[in-house]
Amino acid sequence: MRRVLVTGANGFIGSHLVEALEASGADVTTVDCRRPRFDDPLVPGVGRQVHLDLLHDDLDDVVAGCEVVFHLAARPGVRGSWGNTFGDYLATNVHATQRLLEVCRRRDVRRLVFASSSSVYGDAIGPSCEDDECRPMSPYGVTKLAAEQLCLSYARREDSPLSVVALRYFTVYGPRQRPDMAFSRMLFAAFTGLPLTLFGDGTQRREFTYVSDVVAATMAAADADARDEVINVGGGASVSMIEAIDLASQVVGRPIPLNAVAGMPGDVPATRADLALARELLGYTPSVDLHEGLSRQAAWMRDLPNERLVAFTR
């Protein structure tokens, strides 16, 4: 049993990752400064669950003895990153990451897997490749790119035992997805009949990736043959928002009323992932298509008690 650490363990992707790591037999320590949004328990028997703040608390004890650190803790969201909140994004996504990297280097961690984002690419033309120029269109994307580069710089130190794989996730969805994200809002509108706010004209395209595929790629990254690598993790297909809304309506069996408004700053016209490097280094091929993944997310939402659905109205 190798010992691993997961930061952001109570989050959407983090909670799924912890479950899979536990099932694989890893000795898991989880770190988060927040409670799970839906109060879903992680997994019975998780080795250690530690409540601490990566930005302020001492990290040596939780990192000591870990072979792999999965760093998923972050402040998410493109639209919320403008204005006075930017300091929070900078502190959480960049400064906290640098503090964790220092401890990983000092404690001889072998591999750090960093959860990056397709937002680092910005307004891309065609499938985004890891070697493409990154031109993020939001402060959030800027902080994720900065944190990604910080991780790589620590791996490139001659005296560092640490290797890094940064995974650029493309729009992850599935059970426990944040209420403010697209599929959560679509499904909630379908279930309730309340209007869905559509930003822009609906022609913008996104590559959606089911959470179990993201978890599989993240776990594979722990043992990939790499020193300082960036790898895309996508769902294998890019669809328009109108197509996604139609599919969500089909899955639930109800129409989704729309309230169209202007597009938001930082929203890119399209995302699409080149997955050649993921296939080569991670053996990764997405296995859950959009219809199946949306059906699973809808089934999870359908089973939520009414008091938990309040989160989707905020």
Side-chain angles (χ1 to χ4, degrees), residues 136-147:
M137 293 178 61
S138 69
Y140 167 73
V142 169
T143 63
K144 293 302 286 185
L145 181 58

Side-chain angles (χ1 to χ4, degrees), residues 40 58 60 78 121 132 135 178 183 196 225 260 267:
D40 290 327
D58 184 272
D60 278 83
V78 167
Y121 286 116
D132 290 350
R135 302 177 64 185
R178 295 197 327 266
F183 281 157
L196 169 71
D225 183 11
D267 285 350

Side-chain angles (χ1 to χ4, degrees), residues 71-293:
H71 182 34
L72 277 65
R75 174 99 183 235
V78 167
R79 295 166 188 157
S81 65
W82 300 95
N84 294 333
T85 61
F86 179 68
D88 295 333
Y89 280 81
L90 189 63
T92 303
N93 296 353
V94 181
H95 189 190
T97 297
Q98 189 272 340
R99 292 189 78 240
L100 178 63
L101 287 163
E102 279 290 329
V103 178
C104 287
R105 179 184 63 83
R106 189 166 63 246
R107 289 293 189 170
D108 294 329
V109 173
R110 177 185 66 82
R111 170 63 53 85
L112 182 135
V113 180
F114 175 67
S116 188
S117 167
S118 61
S119 294
V120 304
Y121 286 116
D123 189 4
I125 300 175
S128 294
C129 178
E130 292 86 352
D131 291 333
D132 290 350
E133 180 183 7
C134 291
R135 302 177 64 185
M137 293 178 61
S138 69
Y140 167 73
V142 169
T143 63
K144 293 302 286 185
L145 181 58
E148 181 183 291
Q149 291 298 310
L150 261 177
C151 292
L152 298 175
S153 70
Y154 272 78
R156 291 166 184 158
R157 279 186 56 152
E158 292 183 0
D159 63 345
S160 176
L162 185 67
S163 61
V164 166
V165 175
L167 301 177
R168 292 174 177 169
Y169 298 153
F170 281 69
T171 314
V172 188
Y173 72 102
R176 306 177 202 155
Q177 187 188 50
R178 295 197 327 266
D180 63 294
M181 295 190 72
F183 281 157
S184 290
R185 296 189 298 108
M186 290 178 199
L187 293 171
F188 183 75
F191 283 129
T192 64
L194 296 173
L196 169 71
T197 299
L198 174 64
F199 298 100
D201 60 8
T203 60
Q204 59 270 45
R205 305 182 70 83
R206 293 290 180 269
E207 177 143 346
F208 295 100
T209 315
Y210 190 69
V211 65
S212 65
D213 286 330
V214 166
V215 166
T218 303
M219 292 176 65
D223 296 306
D225 183 11
R227 176 68 188 178
D228 53 346
E229 201 69 62
V230 175
I231 306 175
N232 290 335
V233 179
S238 183
V239 301
S240 72
M241 295 304 294
I242 287 296
E243 291 171 323
I245 290 168
D246 287 343
L247 184 55
S249 177
Q250 293 173 28
V251 164
V252 176
R254 298 178 184 176
I256 298 178
L258 298 179
N259 176 31
V261 299
M264 298 291 284
D267 285 350
V268 298
T271 63
R272 185 180 174 192
D274 183 319
L275 297 178
L277 192 60
R279 286 192 293 270
E280 177 186 347
L281 294 184
L282 305 179
Y284 171 75
T285 301
S287 62
V288 180
D289 66 27
L290 196 53
H291 185 277
E292 174 61 24

